[in-house]
Amino acid sequence: MSDSHGIDRREFVKSAVAIGGAAALSACLNRGPEIDVPRGPEEPGSAFPERQHAWNEFLPTTEEGNNHHPRHRVLLPLDYGDGTPTDAEREAVEAALTGVERAYERSAAGLLLTVSYSPYYFDRFDADLPESVDLPEPRALSSFENPNSDDPDAIVHLASDHGEVVMGAEEALKGEIDELNGVSQPDAALTDAFSIRERRTGFIGDGLPAENQDVDGVPDDGPVPEDAPLYMGFESAYEGNQPTEDRVTIQEGPFAGGTTQQLSTLTLNLNQWYEQDTRKQRVAKMFCPHHANNDVVEGTGENLGTDPRMDDCADPMDSARSDGVVGHGQKMVDVREDDAPIILRRDFDSTDQGRAGVHFLSLQREIADFVTTREAMNGEEIDRNSAVGQRTNNGILQYINTVRRGNFLVPPRSLRALPPANPEAAEDAEVAHA
Ligand code: HEM
């Protein structure tokens, strides 16, 4: 639908998410009929699962049988400041979050959200995190990267198929609007407890990378396939290549039902990827030489259904020696448990800072599971023992640069508002004081 300025409404909303703010939101809403999103329940607390990261059951399934990923994203890094949270601050944060959940149903068309906390946040408490939570400070995970630490206290992740929904939720959480989707919002905001450090935005899904390819890191001639869900041109996170939410959920202790979140900010340099590499090389580097040599992947790879058939790839060292190249996915097959990876990928692309990038967001029971997976992706063994280089012909390492890494705990819902480091110890302390 075009407005009087001839700009397609959908097109406008897409860039509006990256711009953000109340003005961009109201400009969206003024450009044609409001989107029709069902409201959430009166009492999200009793209706919603304890696992904040339980998204899968609320996501539609694509024709190919994979989870559909919500198309628009906002990440809000939050700083708490000094001291420890008060009950009033916890109540304000919980009220603000509940307010947006009342406004939009929990779905891809509505809103999915998580709140997570960094090790820097938990440092303020006398008690340590319980042993059942593995949340180290982030560090470099390869010899060729030098990432900054992603060190806000908390991060809110907002996801929806509608740009207006993530923008509206963001404005409501900041306390900027009184009514959202016809639902009046509480007199409480995240900013009652936090300051918002910055905003990060992104997208995933057919067509969006091609529409957003006029950025640094992508050649000028617009090479990203029209229907690709990600800048590098292929489907990712096939159902058969993702663990269950159970596998990534913390099983014991006071944070049982939670998970950990690894968030890396990657920048992409796709000049060689699209200008020098052939399609065959791209398939070999992303999947494996076997897939390239046997035309296993058509187009963006939708033909693979739910299973990119990584078991058909040869042993990575054999590929490196016989084909001089090893695939990205292929290198991590050895890390699988019960025939599935141990990290749940919920990453998406970004144009932040005018540069093609990825907010690589993954969930796992322990940050150690991410480290193991990422070390396999480094392929150091292969680099040492074959003609494959440290980064060249070594999966997709040559095209990505890790500029920032962060580790976060996604607590269960009941502890999502400014949790203490050890809720059991905190309860004991309260009993002792009483
Ligand atoms: C630009 C960034 C990236 C892109 C475009 C990308 C894309 C892909 C693609 C197309 C696959 C093959 C099929 C599938 O997803 O099911 C794959 C597999 C995978 N990727 Fe990535 N990836 C990226 C970065 C990463 C990073 C940073 C990690 C973290 C270590 C990672 C972990 C995995 C894992 C665990 C698999 C599945 C391996 C298996 O089959 O067992 N990816 N990725």
Side-chain angles (χ1 to χ4, degrees):
M1 175 182 324
S2 290
D3 75 349
S4 53
H5 303 92
I7 299 174
D8 180 74
R9 176 182 159 80
R10 210 168 58 93
E11 180 77 3
F12 184 79
V13 172
K14 178 198 80 196
S15 43
V17 175
I19 296 164
L25 174 62
S26 77
C28 271
L29 300 177
N30 289 339
R31 268 171 202 257
E34 277 190 44
I35 44 147
D36 188 14
V37 176
R39 292 180 188 158
E42 265 305 300
E43 306 220 9
S46 50
F48 287 176
E50 181 65 345
R51 291 181 188 179
Q52 293 195 66
H53 61 289
W55 286 15
N56 290 356
E57 64 184 294
F58 302 94
L59 297 173
T61 303
T62 63
E63 260 174 47
E64 293 74 38
N66 297 308
N67 276 328
H68 165 86
H69 302 282
R71 288 166 68 84
H72 296 283
R73 310 296 180 98
V74 170
L75 293 171
L76 291 179
L78 308 170
D79 289 314
Y80 177 76
D82 296 332
T84 51
T86 63
D87 286 349
E89 287 171 329
R90 290 196 167 110
E91 279 160 27
V93 168
E94 182 54 36
L97 294 167
T98 309
V100 298
E101 290 174 331
R102 285 200 185 107
Y104 296 123
E105 75 166 14
R106 186 182 169 92
S107 70
L111 178 68
L112 289 159
L113 73 89
T114 61
V115 192
S116 59
Y117 295 85
S118 70
Y120 309 100
Y121 165 78
F122 288 112
D123 272 351
R124 75 197 56 244
F125 298 99
D126 291 337
D128 291 333
L129 280 165
E131 271 179 21
S132 46
V133 172
D134 171 40
L135 190 73
E137 289 184 11
R139 60 179 173 89
L141 295 179
S142 72
S143 54
F144 48 83
E145 68 176 31
N146 187 17
N148 293 318
S149 298
D150 201 5
D151 61 359
D153 290 310
I155 289 207
V156 171
H157 178 189
L158 302 171
S160 173
D161 278 347
H162 296 292
E164 295 91 331
V165 170
V166 286
M167 293 168 72
E170 180 185 348
E171 291 311 301
L173 290 172
K174 291 194 293 196
E176 300 284 343
I177 46 179
D178 302 331
E179 199 185 89
L180 187 63
N181 203 23
V183 176
S184 79
Q185 294 297 294
D187 190 16
L190 291 182
T191 42
D192 293 348
F194 292 110
S195 56
I196 298 178
R197 185 186 284 201
E198 59 179 353
R199 56 195 303 279
R200 305 177 194 166
T201 63
F203 48 83
I204 178 169
D206 295 3
L208 289 173
E211 287 170 27
N212 284 285
Q213 62 181 308
D214 187 13
V215 280
D216 291 348
V218 180
D220 289 342
D221 58 346
V224 178
E226 285 284 288
D227 55 343
L230 289 167
Y231 277 128
M232 294 192 77
F234 295 107
E235 300 291 325
S236 174
Y238 294 90
E239 196 57 23
N241 270 26
Q242 290 272 60
T244 60
E245 286 173 346
D246 283 346
R247 174 60 185 84
V248 303
T249 300
I250 297 169
Q251 299 294 307
E252 10 180 276
F255 290 105
T259 186
T260 73
Q261 172 178 288
Q262 199 288 152
L263 181 63
S264 22
T265 307
L266 312 178
T267 53
L268 294 173
N269 186 341
L270 301 182
N271 291 329
Q272 173 173 332
W273 181 252
Y274 281 119
E275 306 224 299
Q276 290 168 38
D277 290 353
T278 60
R279 176 175 166 83
K280 195 169 167 186
Q281 284 170 314
R282 289 197 287 273
V283 172
K285 290 178 183 180
M286 187 60 89
F287 295 87
C288 60
H290 166 275
H291 283 24
N293 296 336
N294 296 285
D295 293 328
V296 173
V297 184
E298 291 166 19
T300 62
E302 279 188 358
N303 67 305
L304 296 169
T306 59
D307 177 10
R309 299 181 216 159
M310 301 312 289
D311 291 340
D312 294 349
C313 298
D315 174 73
M317 192 69 81
D318 291 346
S319 287
R321 289 191 175 139
S322 57
D323 297 84
V325 52
V326 59
H328 164 67
Q330 177 183 22
K331 280 183 287 182
M332 287 174 284
V333 172
D334 258 7
V335 179
R336 289 176 171 207
E337 266 179 37
D338 298 330
D339 206 26
I342 52 177
I343 66 167
L344 180 63
R345 288 167 289 148
R346 288 195 172 150
D347 54 291
F348 49 95
D349 280 347
S350 175
T351 56
D352 288 353
Q353 274 78 51
R355 150 132 238 140
V358 179
H359 292 299
F360 190 87
L361 188 158
S362 73
L363 305 177
Q364 49 283 310
R365 190 171 292 163
E366 302 181 347
I367 291 296
D369 293 334
F370 180 81
V371 173
T372 307
T373 305
R374 179 57 223 223
E375 281 173 353
M377 180 173 159
N378 289 340
E380 282 176 4
E381 232 350 74
I382 299 162
D383 162 32
R384 273 196 298 271
N385 294 296
S386 75
V388 162
Q390 186 183 54
R391 297 179 75 184
T392 45
N393 295 318
N394 197 339
I396 54 175
L397 293 175
Q398 187 182 354
Y399 312 97
I400 62 183
N401 185 26
T402 311
V403 294
R404 183 167 56 192
R405 285 194 182 285
N407 295 334
F408 300 87
L409 171 67
V410 184
R413 186 190 163 86
S414 50
L415 288 167
R416 69 179 173 169
L418 295 161
N422 193 332
E424 280 167 356
E427 265 172 38
D428 291 349
E430 268 168 37
V431 173
H433 281 142

